[in-house]
Amino acid sequence: MVETAESESRKLLGRLRDAMAREAAGQERLDHITQLIAESMRTEVCSIYLFRDEETLELCATEGLNPDAVHQTRMKLGEGLVGRVGKSGRIVNTADAPSERGFRYMPETGEEIFSSFCGIPIQRLGEALGVLVVQSKQAREFSADEVYALEVVAMVLAEMTELGAFTGEGAALKARHTQPFLIRGVTAQEGAAEGHVWLHEPRVVVTNVVADDPAREVERLEEAVDQLRVSVDQMLAGARDSEQIQVLEAYRMFANSKGWMRRMQEDIGAGLSAEAAVEKEQSIARTRMAQASDSYLRERLSDLDDLSNRLLRILTGQGAQTGADMPDNPILIARNIGPAELLDYGRSLKGIVLEEGSVGSHAAIVARALAIPLVIRAGRVATEALNGDHIMVDGDQGIVHLRPDDTVVSAFRDKMAMQAKAQERYTSLIDKPALTPCGKTIGLHMNAGLMADLPSLQSSGAEGVGLFRTELQFLVRNQMPQRTELAALYKRVIDAAQGKRVVFRTLDIGSDKVLPYMKPQDEPNPALGWRAIRVGLDKPGVMRMQLQALIRAADGRPLTVMFPFVAQYEEFRSARAEVDKALAREKKLGHVLPERLCVGAMLETPSLAFAPEKFFQDVEFLSIGGNDLKQFFFAADRENERVRRRYDTLNVSFLSFIEQIVERCVRTETPLSFCGEDAGRPIEAACFAAIGLRTLSMRPASIGPVKSLLRRTNLDDLRQVIHAARHRGEQSVRPSVMEFFRNQPNGV
């Protein structure tokens, strides 16, 4: 940018800063600012539109349009040129506004005499706050220098809006971070929690937006970038796993980017402080990230976003540790979080809300193990929430109430009270069997993955651990665990079970569970790729080490091992052969062998249901992995929100398929269980029991509700209802089943 343009921009920013420093109400400041901008830009019109709600922009101040239109003119996102800028986050610069696509004439403003139009998004870190508009009678496009100056001004307006400089009467001028905020996300772990916000990464607050000494600000920026480069090089030198190295290489590329540095220097030349320059470029990157369809580009923009946060912390001295005390009943808020970091918080958390994440992510696995309600894909929560804010998390519905009003608080607490009362009822059933009125007993087991889960074995009334996920001990480390470490852990698990059966599932990695120290596989569809038993058979060293650790942990006691994702008989035979080799080796080394070894498989692929009869005779037990089996049966990715809820577990086709598996296992006398989220849903669990399943494995908190319903359900009657619905050609038996339960003496 030429020197004259830079100096003019600096003069304008200086005048804006002085305007901000004046003691004035928010509306008065806005009015004064539009006058300053119009005068500086030599335009007849300058207007500022701010969001009054997520879908509506409101004219909040203007110089040049009819002042009576202020707070009266409103438009929806995408409506008119202003709405188009607000929705797209992109600049609209035109010499002939009426001929532009999407133009809408607002008669109350008197804008019909102005031909040229330039709309600039007012946004902060990717969040749209409003639109800055300049207009003039002369038909011309605004120059690149003028547009750039307006971008810089819009950035300052965004920071001032965030800091509350424009608060006043009306929805559009309401103070930020003070109003109730409802967020609809996705359920990753059920449950309800009330507490106070604890930000995993507190936001950096930039208070010195405008600077007087550009040379000094450039110097500060260069010093901070040099420090950033050194820290990235140090992290890279200490990195071991390939995924971490890949991220840090991207960090180093951006840290040494001349283009990134040049843009920030230009921003400083226009009058911004070093911090504001970094945040301006970060906001642009976040907007691009939200619009990018290419996953690789999104990842790289995300890397730039993280690097910008590091640079801001260096410039401001605001580290991740702010010195603030964690509030009572903390509910963790983050864009995303790794399993090791989440485990560091442990059970101190009452709930977790993430902007990103997936149902099968490492964080979700840990949250389930810790029985902490988790909502993922909760848009804007990390930018909207402040430490200490009152928050309510409905993990059952995937809804987050931030700063809820009294009505919501009352209804939510009523719901929690009802759940607590029901839990008291379930507690009375702990020592009682899941014995149905028709005389059938259903075995209820719990799923686990951490030592922290094991106390639930007694408190939940579970008869054993139907699934112990062994991958968590691999996922939370930066290097492969040693055999002695695993043996010690597995021994503590068996000890804690106090004689109850524990089914250890061998390492189930791949798909959404990638070890930090293993080279990531670039697969188009990881869920159907190189994972679980396929990895174990192709890389037998890890499987052998884990089997040896399990044998040593048993220390002469019974041991139960289950292989995941078996798709055909030959895979099970090969895995079983590895068990025999491990036993022979341990015997040769003089270690005590298990008193009894039971080896089974998870049935997660439809193909295994049609395996040869010999497989069902050889395998010592089967466990239906409902989560994967359901997504493969319906060809519906459970991570895809468009389709994951499209197909019902109680669909006639799926239930008929499960019933075929049950009948085949009965014929071959193969013990069978059902393991997965659906096993922990009382209605689904009762239907599984009605079609012949006699063992279910679920999260500990689900055992009480499932047992309560089973003890009140005649499975013979329910089976007739299911078969009748099937005979009538119904797509799902759910309506008929729900009617059946509503007609029972005690309801559902």
Side-chain angles (χ1 to χ4, degrees):
M1 183 184 289
V2 296
E3 181 63 31
T4 55
E6 287 187 348
S7 61
E8 285 300 318
S9 177
R10 284 201 299 273
K11 285 180 185 177
L12 173 57
L13 290 189
R15 295 172 72 186
L16 288 177
R17 180 189 57 197
D18 293 342
M20 300 294 185
R22 290 173 50 195
E23 284 292 332
Q27 185 65 58
E28 186 180 345
R29 279 202 183 108
L30 276 174
D31 293 339
H32 187 43
I33 285 169
T34 55
Q35 293 170 15
L36 289 177
I37 297 172
E39 181 182 323
S40 177
M41 299 299 298
R42 298 179 178 84
T43 61
E44 286 94 347
V45 174
C46 174
S47 304
I48 294 174
Y49 297 79
L50 298 176
F51 280 97
R52 63 176 283 112
D53 56 50
E54 291 186 3
E55 298 293 326
T56 312
L57 282 155
E58 180 174 300
L59 176 62
C60 291
T62 187
E63 172 68 17
L65 297 182
N66 182 358
D68 292 338
V70 172
H71 299 304
Q72 302 302 314
T73 296
R74 295 168 188 165
M75 56 205 70
K76 294 294 184 182
L77 269 183
E79 182 182 6
L81 298 186
V82 174
R84 180 172 139 197
V85 175
K87 182 176 183 179
S88 67
R90 294 174 179 164
I91 296 167
V92 172
N93 181 14
T94 177
D96 185 7
S99 67
E100 191 72 19
R101 174 178 59 86
F103 174 81
R104 183 185 171 191
Y105 171 53
M106 310 295 284
E108 71 274 15
T109 65
E111 65 178 347
E112 65 274 9
I113 62 175
F114 304 106
S115 179
S116 62
F117 174 98
C118 186
I120 308 287
I122 301 172
Q123 52 194 7
R124 183 180 184 275
L125 300 181
E127 181 186 1
L129 302 177
V131 178
L132 170 64
V133 174
V134 291
Q135 295 170 274
S136 63
K137 295 177 182 177
Q138 181 185 354
R140 70 179 185 93
E141 281 195 11
F142 290 86
S143 70
D145 284 347
E146 289 174 313
V147 170
Y148 179 79
L150 288 168
E151 284 187 279
V152 173
V153 169
M155 190 271 168
V156 174
L157 293 176
E159 286 301 323
M160 293 303 101
T161 302
E162 173 69 16
L163 293 171
F166 307 131
T167 56
E169 294 182 9
L173 298 185
K174 65 181 181 292
R176 288 175 56 74
H177 311 297
T178 59
Q179 302 298 313
F181 192 71
L182 172 68
I183 305 168
R184 296 187 184 277
V186 174
T187 296
Q189 167 63 19
E190 296 163 344
E194 178 182 4
H196 299 91
V197 167
W198 181 249
L199 295 171
H200 180 57
E201 291 184 342
R203 69 172 56 83
V204 176
V205 179
V206 177
T207 54
N208 59 324
V209 182
V210 181
D212 291 320
D213 188 350
R216 175 58 189 141
E217 293 303 303
V218 169
E219 187 180 328
R220 288 181 63 233
L221 177 68
E222 290 173 347
E223 289 173 356
V225 170
D226 286 342
Q227 187 177 336
L228 178 68
R229 288 169 180 162
V230 170
S231 69
V232 170
D233 287 342
Q234 289 173 341
M235 287 189 293
L236 197 52
R240 292 291 177 266
D241 66 86
S242 57
E243 189 174 6
Q244 187 181 18
I245 289 171
Q246 185 180 8
V247 170
L248 290 172
E249 288 284 9
Y251 279 7
R252 183 158 68 177
M253 177 188 71
F254 284 123
N256 289 281
S257 167
K258 292 180 180 179
W260 185 46
M261 191 69 176
R262 185 188 69 252
R263 290 192 299 274
M264 291 188 291
Q265 289 170 338
E266 289 176 351
D267 295 335
I268 291 172
L272 294 180
S273 66
E275 294 90 336
V278 174
E279 197 164 273
K280 176 177 177 291
E281 297 307 315
Q282 186 182 17
S283 288
I284 292 171
R286 280 210 183 173
T287 302
R288 288 175 180 163
M289 187 161 49
Q291 296 169 346
S293 57
D294 180 77
S295 60
Y296 178 80
L297 179 59
R298 280 201 308 272
E299 287 174 10
R300 297 292 73 81
L301 288 169
S302 178
D303 293 337
L304 178 56
D305 190 56
D306 292 339
L307 196 71
S308 299
N309 282 330
R310 291 175 182 271
L311 185 54
L312 280 171
R313 294 192 188 284
I314 292 171
L315 282 165
T316 62
Q318 299 175 30
Q321 300 300 322
T322 63
D325 293 329
M326 186 179 285
D328 293 335
N329 301 316
I331 291 180
L332 187 72
I333 305 295
R335 286 180 61 200
N336 217 335
I337 191 170
E341 293 172 300
L342 191 49
L343 282 170
D344 286 341
Y345 285 104
R347 294 185 186 273
S348 64
L349 300 175
K350 296 298 181 184
I352 308 164
V353 184
L354 302 179
E355 278 197 6
E356 301 171 4
S358 64
V359 174
S361 68
H362 304 162
I365 294 169
V366 173
R368 289 187 199 111
L370 296 173
I372 299 173
L374 169 63
V375 173
I376 59 173
R377 300 177 195 167
R380 292 177 53 195
V381 68
T383 54
E384 184 65 35
L386 297 178
N387 269 339
D389 277 349
H390 186 200
I391 186 171
M392 291 175 152
V393 178
D394 187 341
D396 302 324
Q397 303 296 323
I399 293 174
V400 178
H401 301 279
L402 185 62
R403 300 181 293 268
D405 59 29
D406 291 343
T407 304
V408 171
V409 170
S410 177
F412 194 90
R413 286 178 178 168
D414 285 347
K415 175 181 178 178
M416 292 185 69
M418 289 176 63
Q419 289 181 339
K421 189 173 181 180
Q423 200 59 46
E424 289 179 12
R425 187 170 74 249
Y426 303 147
T427 302
S428 67
L429 301 176
I430 285 177
D431 298 324
K432 297 178 180 178
L435 177 63
T436 69
C438 55
K440 298 175 179 66
T441 301
I442 311 301
L444 302 182
H445 297 247
M446 61 172 265
N447 300 333
L450 296 168
M451 273 301 299
D453 289 319
L454 271 299
S456 298
L457 190 55
Q458 307 303 326
S459 62
S460 68
E463 297 171 42
V465 178
L467 167 66
F468 189 90
R469 305 179 184 91
T470 61
E471 57 271 10
L472 282 176
Q473 289 72 46
F474 290 78
L475 288 168
V476 299
R477 302 171 61 98
N478 291 322
Q479 59 185 17
M480 185 74 72
Q482 299 294 311
R483 178 171 47 217
T484 51
E485 293 176 293
L486 290 176
L489 171 70
Y490 300 152
K491 183 178 184 301
R492 291 202 303 274
V493 171
I494 296 172
D495 291 345
Q498 298 179 12
K500 291 185 177 181
R501 188 189 197 209
V502 179
V503 179
F504 289 95
R505 183 179 68 186
T506 60
L507 193 58
D508 185 5
I509 57 169
S511 184
D512 52 8
K513 299 187 284 288
V514 180
L515 299 184
Y517 40 85
M518 284 187 71
K519 182 179 179 181
Q521 303 299 310
D522 186 16
E523 296 182 299
N525 192 341
L528 296 175
W530 195 58
R531 55 174 290 201
I533 191 68
R534 298 167 183 176
V535 177
L537 293 176
D538 290 351
K539 299 284 186 181
V542 177
M543 180 190 284
R544 289 167 189 164
M545 182 265 286
Q546 188 178 27
L547 290 172
Q548 290 163 8
L550 286 165
I551 291 168
R552 294 179 190 183
D555 195 25
R557 292 171 290 186
L559 176 65
T560 305
V561 177
M562 176 169 65
F563 292 110
F565 208 64
V566 176
Q568 58 185 13
Y569 180 28
E570 184 55 38
E571 289 175 336
F572 177 75
R573 287 208 313 183
S574 298
R576 176 71 221 215
E578 290 294 339
V579 175
D580 294 336
K581 289 178 189 175
L583 286 169
R585 186 176 186 277
E586 292 302 293
K587 183 176 182 180
K588 187 175 181 180
L589 291 173
H591 292 129
V592 180
L593 299 185
E595 173 191 330
R596 184 176 67 259
L597 179 60
C598 191
V599 182
M602 290 205 84
L603 196 159
E604 299 167 275
T605 62
S607 63
L608 196 62
F610 301 97
E613 200 82 354
K614 188 73 166 61
F615 165 73
F616 286 86
Q617 293 167 354
D618 286 355
V619 71
E620 292 175 85
F621 69 93
L622 280 173
S623 179
I624 295 173
N627 297 344
D628 265 336
L629 184 64
K630 183 179 172 184
Q631 76 166 340
F632 297 140
F633 184 85
F634 288 114
D637 183 359
R638 62 191 176 111
E639 298 292 350
N640 186 332
E641 287 305 309
R642 290 183 176 179
V643 298
R644 70 183 289 253
R645 298 184 186 278
R646 188 183 186 96
Y647 301 100
D648 189 0
T649 302
L650 300 188
N651 180 289
V652 166
S653 300
F654 189 62
L655 280 186
S656 297
F657 181 55
I658 298 295
E659 197 166 16
Q660 288 176 27
I661 298 170
V662 171
E663 290 169 356
R664 194 165 189 194
C665 286
V666 168
R667 193 166 61 247
T668 56
E669 298 183 347
T670 307
L672 176 67
S673 64
F674 188 103
C675 173
E677 295 173 10
D678 288 321
R681 298 186 172 110
I683 297 297
E684 283 83 343
C687 290
F688 292 152
I691 62 174
L693 279 158
R694 292 294 173 262
T695 305
L696 305 173
S697 190
M698 64 203 72
R699 65 188 183 103
S702 296
I703 290 176
V706 169
K707 184 185 289 187
S708 176
L709 186 61
L710 286 173
R711 286 175 58 86
R712 294 180 281 121
T713 302
N714 186 309
L715 297 182
D716 295 334
D717 292 345
L718 180 57
R719 183 183 180 91
Q720 288 180 12
V721 170
I722 292 171
H723 286 180
R726 178 191 297 160
H727 183 72
R728 288 192 299 271
E730 295 177 7
Q731 178 171 288
S732 171
V733 304
R734 188 175 298 276
S736 297
V737 167
M738 294 306 295
E739 181 65 22
F740 167 79
F741 280 114
R742 278 192 291 268
N743 291 331
Q744 300 303 299
N746 296 316
V748 178

